[in-house]
Amino acid sequence: MDFFGDPCTASWQTPKGDVNPPDRLRHSYRVPLRITVAGEDPLAELVLEKLEVEGLSPVDLTVRPAECVALTGPSGSGKTRLLRAVCDMEPHSGAIRLGETYCEQTPAPLWRRRVGFLPTESRWWKEAVGEHFRDVPEKWLDRMGLDPEVMQWPVSRLSSGERQRLAVLRLLANVPDALLLDEPTANLDPNNRDRVEFFLTDYIQSNGAACLWVSHDSEQMDRISRRCYEIRDGRLFQVREGGPSNGRAAAADTGSR
Amino acid sequence: MSVIPLTPLDLSIAASLVLVLALLSLHLRLRLFRPMVVAAVRTTAQLLLVGIVLKAVFENVHPAWLGLISIVMLGVAAREVGRRQKLRMKGGWGFGVGAASMFLSSFSITALALTVIVQVEPWYRPQYAIPLLGMLLGNTMNGIALGLDRLSQSAWEQREIVESRLILGQTWSQAIDDIRRDSIRSGLIPIVNAMSIAGLVSLPGMMTGQILGGSPPMEAVKYQILIMFLIASGTGFGTIFAVWTSSRRLFDERQRLRIEDRFQRG
């Protein structure tokens, strides 16, 4: 699945600790734009330990590398607040770690680049689209069905669907190690929804990113994830666990515990 | 040549003009009668009071008196900066930032002017120190108030954008950069405009005063140029400091935007 063009083919470092990348990942996946710092886990699990945010009881949750966990619940139940807390935009207590890296010990901007949060609505502050990006492979635009010239466009020219797809690219250009997606396909037509879904699940697999994906669409949750949680009355309930899945992310799960 | 003294009658004639204006505004239902009368009375009372204080200080030249008056002026100016904010920092921060930045800029520049430039002997001679400090404080206060108001308003209106930038991994300083630059500019533009138009439309107040007082025009002009430069630099440094400090205060130690709980509607 050569989704990211032809970036350097990196071999996985043997991660320290207990992280055990799936065999298939270890041997065959290409890692785009990834700079592996010696001693850092190339595959990091996202762990929430007794994470407390206002309005939610403490959350314990581990998302394995390359795993996508779906999160659902009525609006106002605190899904967004939970994601914001994980990327450290919301005051919280308890611990969050990515592999062995603890949130509190990491400078906040660095943490937010590693734990990429995609808000429901994207904001743009410069005149031209391209000014919001440092570097985006042209193939990414193509795979997202975007005009190759889109970087030169003024932001005002974008449709809401184009904004959303560009917001996904803008986030992934940071090459985050974990993803927090807040209804990433909510306002997209089926065609573009599939594009974004495919792009994201592929990123998750090829980068071994741990992902929390908020969705209201149960069919989508079936497609993207095996494990699914629901927030109800300020509590996190597991509504589905494991089992064979027909999902795209299933490939990423084989080989993990 | 010295100033022609004004008699109470002279002032009464001017006051009657204001009274006529106030009555006219009553007739036109501008709802300005009371505010205008109160303001006119305040002008008279405040300036008379200042006159008494200055007279006393001029007769008892001592650095302690000068210090006391400076601190009162600074306090009033800092309070005024806070009063002009629609959205201001909670818990004394607004007052503190305003006072600190005016102290740093106005006081040090006044000290420089007194000791190095004009070389007043002794440096605390109130005829020089108090008017200089007053002009600097007044102008710096305007710049800081404008800059801070712009900063908090823009940060409030654009809080979602600032948050987006933080979420994408920018530092607090990068995320607020555009807003901060605009705010500093809006604090500085009035003095830049004042410098570029000085003398063309109206004669600056201090120069007018000196000329009325009998100084040769060229001396008055040189003093006015000096004052313009001092005001521009004082306003500039003060506004930059105040806007920087306040922009840091918008964020907490984990670089989250905290405008909603650290600022309040004034």
Side-chain angles (χ1 to χ4, degrees):
Chain A
M1 202 177 321
D2 177 20
F3 204 66
F4 290 94
D6 40 19
C8 57
T9 308
S11 58
W12 294 107
Q13 282 191 329
T14 310
K16 62 180 188 214
D18 56 356
V19 181
N20 184 21
D23 283 345
R24 283 171 57 185
L25 282 182
R26 192 182 292 151
H27 296 307
S28 66
Y29 275 90
R30 288 173 171 195
V31 187
L33 302 172
R34 187 182 190 85
I35 304 148
T36 315
V37 181
E40 218 178 276
D41 289 341
L43 279 180
E45 55 186 359
L46 178 67
V47 183
L48 320 184
E49 292 164 0
K50 298 197 172 49
L51 175 66
E52 265 186 271
V53 240
E54 205 192 316
L56 281 185
S57 19
V59 172
D60 277 288
L61 183 65
T62 299
V63 186
R64 293 186 296 270
E67 185 189 22
C68 185
V69 169
L71 190 60
T72 188
S75 51
S77 57
K79 304 182 296 294
T80 301
R81 209 173 313 131
L82 179 65
L83 295 195
R84 282 173 58 88
V86 176
C87 74
D88 207 8
M89 285 298 290
E90 197 89 13
H92 58 265
S93 61
I96 310 164
R97 65 182 169 87
L98 195 58
E100 299 302 313
T101 313
Y102 279 86
C103 169
E104 305 81 75
Q105 293 159 2
T106 314
L110 183 62
W111 178 261
R112 291 181 195 129
R113 279 196 295 270
R114 291 195 63 191
V115 180
F117 171 45
L118 185 76
T120 323
E121 250 182 80
S122 63
R123 302 281 162 183
W124 305 82
W125 53 92
K126 299 275 191 200
E127 199 71 16
V129 174
E131 291 176 89
H132 299 83
F133 290 84
R134 230 169 296 156
D135 187 30
V136 167
E138 218 163 279
K139 280 210 169 171
W140 283 22
L141 299 178
D142 187 40
R143 311 270 165 155
M144 277 292 205
L146 291 160
D147 191 294
E149 298 296 307
V150 74
M151 288 294 161
Q152 277 82 53
W153 291 6
V155 170
S156 53
R157 188 176 156 186
L158 300 173
S159 70
S160 65
E162 285 165 336
R163 275 172 188 242
Q164 182 62 13
R165 281 173 283 156
L166 281 163
V168 170
L169 295 186
R170 185 172 65 174
L171 182 73
L172 297 189
N174 279 343
V175 204
D177 296 318
L179 284 177
L180 311 167
L181 308 171
D182 199 354
E183 302 187 51
T185 63
N187 299 309
L188 296 175
D189 59 59
N191 193 12
N192 282 322
R193 182 200 61 206
D194 288 346
R195 278 189 171 127
V196 170
E197 234 175 67
F198 196 71
F199 200 100
L200 283 168
T201 47
D202 192 78
Y203 178 90
I204 291 163
Q205 290 172 34
S206 46
N207 269 25
C211 175
L212 265 171
W213 184 316
V214 170
S215 177
H216 286 298
D217 175 353
S218 57
E219 286 175 20
Q220 177 175 63
M221 293 194 290
D222 285 343
R223 286 194 299 272
I224 57 161
S225 69
R226 288 172 58 192
R227 259 204 302 165
C228 176
Y229 288 82
E230 183 177 350
I231 297 183
R232 234 183 301 128
D233 308 319
R235 289 179 160 281
L236 195 65
F237 295 96
Q238 187 158 4
V239 290
R240 177 153 53 76
E241 162 65 66
S245 164
N246 55 358
R248 284 180 200 143
D253 279 356
T254 47
S256 54
R257 282 156 288 190
Chain B
M1 181 179 148
S2 69
V3 194
I4 305 163
L6 291 176
T7 63
L9 179 66
D10 299 334
L11 292 180
S12 310
I13 296 171
S16 64
L17 286 177
V18 177
L19 194 64
V20 170
L21 177 65
L23 288 171
L24 181 63
S25 77
L26 192 66
H27 181 70
L28 294 175
R29 279 183 275 179
L30 302 178
R31 289 191 296 170
L32 270 177
F33 180 75
R34 266 184 64 92
M36 199 179 299
V37 171
V38 170
V41 171
R42 278 190 63 163
T43 296
T44 317
Q46 283 165 202
L47 290 179
L48 283 177
L49 191 69
V50 169
I52 293 168
V53 171
L54 287 181
K55 190 163 176 280
V57 174
F58 285 9
E59 282 162 10
N60 304 286
V61 177
H62 192 279
W65 284 116
L66 183 64
L68 185 67
I69 290 179
S70 312
I71 285 173
V72 172
M73 286 161 78
L74 180 68
V76 174
R79 220 181 64 111
E80 182 65 18
V81 166
R83 251 173 37 86
R84 292 191 195 171
Q85 310 299 310
K86 287 196 201 76
L87 197 65
R88 55 169 172 252
M89 283 185 268
K90 286 183 185 172
W93 272 85
F95 183 88
V97 168
S101 34
M102 280 188 284
F103 179 79
L104 285 175
S105 60
S106 301
F107 278 51
S108 53
I109 286 177
T110 306
L112 179 81
L114 292 175
T115 56
V116 178
I117 301 175
V118 189
Q119 296 186 3
V120 186
E121 281 295 336
W123 63 268
Y124 48 84
R125 219 169 109 194
Q127 281 90 333
Y128 283 84
I130 292 177
L132 265 178
L133 184 64
M135 276 187 288
L136 272 164
L137 271 179
N139 285 280
T140 313
M141 176 183 83
N142 282 332
I144 291 175
L146 282 171
L148 290 184
D149 193 45
R150 178 69 174 266
L151 177 76
S152 53
Q153 293 277 10
S154 312
W156 177 265
E157 281 157 17
Q158 299 178 35
R159 57 191 186 282
E160 288 177 347
I161 281 179
V162 175
E163 287 219 313
S164 294
R165 299 178 72 159
L166 293 173
I167 285 168
L168 284 165
Q170 295 194 351
T171 63
W172 69 269
S173 189
Q174 292 168 326
I176 199 78
D177 191 47
D178 298 346
I179 293 175
R180 188 169 49 202
R181 203 174 309 130
D182 280 352
S183 310
I184 294 175
R185 277 180 58 87
S186 70
L188 290 191
I189 280 176
I191 183 65
V192 173
N193 288 343
M195 279 201 291
S196 53
I197 204 155
L200 295 181
V201 176
S202 67
L203 293 183
M206 192 203 73
M207 197 171 115
T208 314
Q210 274 189 302
I211 292 175
L212 282 179
S215 298
M218 280 319 274
E219 290 308 311
V221 163
K222 282 192 276 179
Y223 263 93
Q224 189 59 49
I225 294 173
L226 172 71
I227 290 296
M228 281 300 208
F229 289 167
L230 296 183
I231 287 175
S233 38
T235 307
F237 298 137
T239 306
I240 291 171
F241 179 85
V243 169
W244 259 90
T245 318
S246 305
S247 69
R248 182 67 187 96
R249 182 68 192 159
L250 289 166
F251 301 90
D252 67 10
E253 70 292 344
R254 292 300 295 171
Q255 306 198 20
R256 304 178 190 114
L257 184 66
R258 297 294 289 275
I259 190 167
E260 287 175 44
D261 46 348
R262 288 189 175 176
F263 285 64
Q264 62 188 5
R265 295 268 154 204

